C-alpha cells in the first residue's frame, strides 16, 4: 500500500490556495486538510473536493483569529489520529492596499500583521507536534517579492511589504529554533488571482506547480531560506 502524505493548507477558498488543493487532489496518495474561513461559501473548493482522487477534508480556519487557530487542532487530531502532518502550507494572506509609509491605516496594518505574520507563526506552533511525527516535515510560509529589500520595489504597499518581510524573518527564526523541521518562505511571483489582478504575469497553475516541486525537493540544509516559485533563491 502506498504511503499517504498529509497536507494542511490555509486560505483555500480561492486563488493560489485553491490551486494547491486542485493539484494535490489529483493523487490518491494525498490526504489534504483544506482550511478556509467559511467552508459553506467555498463553492469552488467544494467542487474540487467532490471529484478528488485524494482524501479531502475541509475545515474552518481564520488565521487572523488566535481562537480559530487553537480550534483547528481538534480537527487535525480527529483527521490524522496518531499519524503525521507532513506539510503545512501557510498560504492565506491579506493585502491592505497600496498606501505608502506615510499613509498607513493602523487597523489594516494590524490586520495584515495578524493574518500574514502572527497567524502563520501560531499555526506552526500549534501543529508542531503533528509535524514532528513526520519523517520529513515541511512548513511553507507564503511570502511576496514585496517583502524583499533586494527587489527594491519602491514606496507602495508599505503595510503589506512590512508584513511579508516580517514573515521572512519568522521563517528564519523558526528554522533556527527547530532544526528538525524544514521551514521556507516563497515568493509565488505575480499571479492572476483576486489579489494579483488580471494584469499579473503568471497563471496560478504555473506558480503552484513550481512551488510543489520545491516542496517535494527541499532539503533540511535549505531550511530558513527564501525562494521564488521556480525554486531559485530570492534576495532577502
Ligand atoms: N497573487 C499574487 O500575485 C501574490 C503575490 C505575492 C504573494 N501572494 C501571496 O499568496 C497568498 C495567496 O494569495 P492569492 O493571490 O491567492 O490571494 P487571494 O486570491 O486574495 O486569496 C487569498 C486567500 O486567503 C484567504 N484569507 C484571507 N484572510 C484570511 C484569514 N484571516 N484566514 C484565512 N484565510 C484568509 C482568502 O479567504 P477568503 O475567501 O475567506 O477571503 C483567500 O482564500 C497570500 O499570502 C498572498 O499574500 C500573492
Amino acid at each position: 500500500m502506498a504511503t499517504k502524505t498529509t497536507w494542511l493548507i490555509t486560505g483555500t477558498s480561492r486563488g493560489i490556495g485553491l490551486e494547491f488543493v486542485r493539484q494535490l487532489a489529483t493523487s490518491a496518495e494525498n490526504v489534504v486538510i483544506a482550511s478556509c474561513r467559511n467552508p459553506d461559501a467555498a463553492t469552488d473548493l467544494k467542487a474540487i473536493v467532490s471529484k478528488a482522487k485524494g482524501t479531502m477534508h475541509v475545515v474552518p480556519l481564520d488565521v487572523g483569529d488566535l481562537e480559530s487557530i487553537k480550534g483547528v487542532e481538534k480537527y487535525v487530531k480527529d483527521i490524522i489520529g496518531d499519524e503525521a502532518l507532513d506539510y503545512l502550507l501557510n498560504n492565506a494572506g491579506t493585502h491592505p492596499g497600496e498606501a505608502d509609509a506615510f499613509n498607513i491605516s493602523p487597523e489594516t496594518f494590524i490586520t495584515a500583521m495578524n493574518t500574514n505574520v502572527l497567524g502563520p507563526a501560531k499555526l506552526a506552533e500549534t501543529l508542531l507536534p503533528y509535524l514532528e511525527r513526520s519523517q520529513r516535515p515541511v512548513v511553507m510560509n507564503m511570502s511576496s517579492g514585496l517583502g524583499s529589500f533586494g527587489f527594491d520595489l519602491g514606496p507602495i504597499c508599505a503595510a503589506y511589504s512590512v508584513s511579508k518581510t516580517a514573515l521572512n524573518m519568522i521563517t528564519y527564526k523558526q528554522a533556527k529554533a527547530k532544526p528538525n523541521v524544514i521551514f521556507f518562505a516563497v515568493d509565488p511571483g505575480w499571479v492572476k488571482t483576486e489579489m494579483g489582478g488580471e494584469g499579473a504575469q503568471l497563471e496560478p497553475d504555473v506558480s503552484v506547480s513550481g512551488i510543489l516541486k520545491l516542496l517535494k525537493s527541499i532539503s533540511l540544509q535549505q531550511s530558513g531560506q527564501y525562494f521564488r516559485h521556480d525554486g531559485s533563491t530570492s534576495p532577502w
Side-chain angles (χ1 to χ4, degrees):
M1 198 176 74
T3 321
K4 299 277 186 189
T5 304
T6 303
W7 308 71
L8 189 142
I9 310 164
T10 65
T12 62
S13 60
R14 56 190 157 90
I16 295 172
L18 183 68
E19 181 59 25
F20 271 118
V21 178
R22 196 184 67 72
Q23 295 196 19
L24 292 171
T26 59
S27 167
E29 285 178 18
N30 290 323
V31 177
V32 179
I33 306 173
S35 72
C36 60
R37 279 196 280 204
N38 186 354
D40 289 342
T43 45
D44 292 343
L45 176 61
K46 283 194 266 192
I48 291 171
V49 166
S50 67
K51 293 190 211 123
K53 288 193 185 143
T55 310
M56 314 295 287
H57 302 270
V58 179
V59 304
L61 176 58
D62 180 341
V63 300
D65 176 352
L66 294 177
E67 286 306 312
S68 177
I69 291 172
K70 262 194 227 156
V72 87
E73 193 196 344
K74 185 190 171 319
Y75 292 102
V76 171
K77 207 177 197 173
D78 288 350
I79 293 165
I80 71 178
D82 295 331
E83 301 297 318
L85 178 64
D86 300 297
Y87 293 93
L88 167 60
L89 309 191
N90 276 314
N91 163 77
T94 187
H95 194 310
E98 298 206 338
D100 67 24
F102 296 92
N103 292 286
I104 288 175
S105 140
E107 293 76 22
T108 55
F109 182 84
I110 289 166
T111 301
M113 294 303 279
N114 278 337
T115 307
N116 297 351
V117 190
L118 186 61
K122 295 307 281 184
L123 188 59
E125 191 180 318
T126 301
L127 299 180
L128 188 67
Y130 302 89
L131 287 158
E132 283 181 325
R133 292 180 195 161
S134 174
Q135 299 286 320
R136 185 179 160 277
V138 182
V139 177
M140 179 207 81
N141 288 328
M142 187 64 90
S143 186
S144 167
L146 281 161
S148 161
F149 289 93
F151 282 134
D152 193 16
L153 291 176
I156 60 158
C157 308
Y160 178 76
S161 303
V162 166
S163 74
K164 294 297 189 181
T165 308
L167 181 66
N168 288 351
M169 180 57 89
I170 285 286
T171 308
Y172 166 84
K173 294 290 182 189
Q174 288 171 325
K176 293 292 168 186
K178 298 288 167 196
N180 53 333
V181 178
I182 300 169
F183 294 90
F184 73 96
V186 66
D187 165 16
W190 187 17
V191 186
K192 287 180 190 163
T193 62
E194 209 169 299
M195 189 186 292
E198 268 307 304
Q201 291 162 337
L202 289 173
E203 293 298 334
D205 64 322
V206 175
S207 173
V208 166
S209 60
I211 298 171
L212 281 172
K213 270 193 205 141
L214 177 60
L215 278 156
K216 288 173 188 167
S217 64
I218 188 167
S219 67
L220 213 45
Q221 290 68 35
Q222 294 170 299
S223 187
Q225 294 184 21
Y226 178 27
F227 296 92
R228 289 157 136 165
H229 75 277
D230 61 4
S232 59
T233 305
S234 177
W236 291 106

